[in-house]
Structure formats: structure tokens, C-alpha cells
Amino acid sequence: MGNEEIAIKTEGLRKVFGRFRKRIVAVKELNMEIERSTIHGFIGPNGAGKTTTIKMLVGAIRPTKGKAFIFDEPVGSVKAKRYIGYSPEHPNFYPMSAIDFLIYMGRISGMKREEARKRAKELMEWIGLEGFENKNAQRFSAGMKQKLSIVQALIHDPDILILDEPTANLDPIGRFEVIGKIGELARKERKTVFISSHILYELEKIVDHVTIIKRGNVLLQSSIASLRKRFSENHFIIDTSSNKQFIKRLEGIGNVKKVWINHEGKIEVNVSNGERFKKELIDLVKNSNIIMNEFSPYKMSLENIFIKLVESE
């Protein structure tokens, strides 16, 4: 893959706070590559180093060691910053109207005043803040501040969006709407989105790649499709006309490691070899009077995959 297809790259990225006995290693030896035009989830438990990594990527703090690049430009450089739109976990604003703040941010990014005003109005309407253009942004509710922060990240139409907990202060409806809008915008305009969030069941609705970190190290980097295949290829859901009778037949197959009735009354089965099991299942159904209603791979959620990976380390 050519460098033009890598939006974000880190090589041995490390950040240490303090000295001597008070030294805290927030990020150890972080190596990752984020492909262009992907929506990439960046997840990990509390204290894993997510926010510290993000602050290094946007140039807010310097790495202790290692390198990081935004489209081949060193992080922190003016050229690298031009590519980025950033929304922090806890946004705050100057005591000025929302529209004036957005125009100010647009002007800093090199936009003309009227161009910035036009885009600000369009984005505020897009995210559901129409009618609040002339209100003091500092007095906005936490949820409104979160939305305004996402708008300021988009004001100069960046190639890369870096979002740290973008739905943290929103109610469930607001979270659903904002996550959907981010996904829709990213795919429509082919933006790269690097998004950190603890709300994994919402995140998995839009991400196509994920990096999981723990204690400042990468545990896994993968596409969602490959991740699901890895954790589901030997795990199946079966529903028949008589599950209690059929489960006894499945218990007699040597390839079956574990089989049980789940909370929906369907059969779940773990096997050693998924491809062989499919052939064995066909023979089993042929030689019985049981009707097969469902046979499908088990779809493990991102949250369950995350817990399984983190707890195994």
C-alpha cells in the first residue's frame, strides 16, 4: 500500500509524564496505520492511552519518543494540522456567539469570512443547532457544546476527523443522530474518521476498522469484517422444529466442542472446524425428521470482542 493511502501512521510512539519515581508511561510503543477514507474506531479501557495518543496526533503534546505522520507530514507541523479537524472529549468555548466562534475558527484555518459564515450555518443546521447561531456558546448545555465542537472540527472541510468521545454528553437520541450523521458524512465525502468512544454498540454501527489498545500498547488492529470472522467462524446459531431433540444429536459429533440452548431458545454451537461441521450438519438433517429453520454464523458484538480480548491479556 502506497503512503498516499495511509492517513495516519505511528512508529514506536511513546509518551511519558513526570520523572523518576513519579514517571507515568501513558503510551508505550504504539504502532498503527489508519487507511485513508475509513472510519476507524480507537478503543481501550480507561487509562489505556487513547486521549494521550490523540493529543499527540493533533500536535497538542509532543511524543517522548517515536514518530507519527498525517499523510506523511510530521504531527504537529502546520501542513499536518491543515488536514485535521479535531473535537476534544471536553470542549469549551470563548464567551461569544456560536456563529462568531465558528467564523473565527474558519478564519484561523484560512477561510474567507463569508465562506466561513455560509458553511457554519449549513453545518449548524445539519447537526441540529439551527436557531442557536447568535446564542453565547459558553452557555450552551453539555450536549449542545459537543455538537458545536463537531461542527468546528468540520468548518474548514478537513480530510481527517479526529473525534474523542464525540457523543459523551448527548442523550440516547442525540447519540444515535450524531453517530449516524458522522457515518453518513464520512462515506459521502470520503473522509477519514478516527474516533474514540466507550459506547461500543453505537460505534460498531459506523466503523469499518478498529484498533484496540491496553496500557499504551496495540492489542489488535483489524477490519471489522475480519474481526467478526475471526471470532465467529466456528460459532453458529441453529434453530429447528425440535431443538431439544436435535441438540442430543449434535452432542454426538466429535467436531462439536460445546453446544447449548441460548436465551432465545435457539441452539448455539462451538466447533473445532466450521467447514467440516457444515457438511456434518447436512448429513445430520438428512437422516432425521427435523426441519431446519435457521443456520447462521454467530455475530459477536464489538463490545463482546473487546471484553474477550482485553480480559485475555
Side-chain angles (χ1 to χ4, degrees), residues 228 232 235 237 296-301 304:
R228 285 212 173 104
S232 303
H235 190 169
I237 301 291
S296 60
Y298 175 75
K299 294 180 180 177
M300 187 176 279
S301 70
N304 286 339

Side-chain angles (χ1 to χ4, degrees), residues 88-256:
E89 182 179 3
H90 302 292
N92 214 336
F93 303 96
Y94 298 119
M96 56 200 302
S97 71
I99 192 75
D100 285 344
F101 170 74
L102 293 173
I103 291 170
Y104 170 70
M105 296 302 291
R107 295 283 288 154
I108 287 175
S109 301
M111 300 175 74
K112 294 180 180 178
R113 180 175 295 277
E114 285 310 308
E115 178 191 11
R117 181 184 296 277
K118 182 174 181 293
R119 182 156 173 83
K121 286 184 175 181
E122 289 172 353
L123 288 170
M124 287 190 75
E125 182 178 353
W126 168 78
I127 209 162
L129 287 176
E130 67 274 17
F132 292 93
E133 292 87 350
N134 296 312
K135 302 293 183 183
N136 187 339
Q138 208 171 54
R139 295 178 183 171
F140 278 10
S141 68
M144 290 171 68
K145 285 181 177 179
Q146 205 77 51
K147 287 183 175 182
L148 187 62
S149 180
I150 294 169
V151 168
Q152 67 80 25
L154 285 164
I155 191 70
H156 59 297
D157 196 20
D159 292 302
I160 300 174
L161 268 181
I162 297 181
L163 309 175
D164 193 359
E165 300 289 349
T167 63
N169 296 308
L170 300 173
D171 59 40
I173 294 173
R175 290 202 307 265
F176 178 80
E177 289 176 347
V178 167
I179 281 289
K181 285 179 181 293
I182 290 169
E184 180 185 349
L185 179 76
R187 292 195 168 92
K188 182 181 177 182
E189 300 187 6
R190 294 188 58 76
K191 292 187 183 299
T192 305
V193 179
F194 187 67
I195 178 170
S196 172
S197 177
H198 283 107
I199 308 171
L200 303 190
Y201 70 90
E202 290 178 349
L203 198 62
E204 72 178 319
K205 293 174 184 176
I206 62 167
V207 298
D208 40 45
H209 289 72
V210 67
T211 294
I212 299 176
I213 69 168
K214 182 180 180 181
R215 297 194 188 102
N217 285 320
V218 173
L219 294 184
L220 174 144
Q221 183 169 349
S222 170
S223 70
I224 289 292
S226 297
L227 197 59
R228 285 212 173 104
K229 183 178 179 183
R230 171 182 163 182
F231 282 89
S232 303
E233 62 181 349
N234 292 324
H235 190 169
F236 300 96
I237 301 291
I238 298 171
D239 189 35
T240 72
S241 56
S242 180
N243 286 341
K244 287 183 179 179
Q245 183 182 343
F246 197 65
I247 199 169
K248 292 177 182 177
R249 291 176 174 266
L250 290 170
E251 287 170 347
I253 298 176
N255 187 25
V256 171

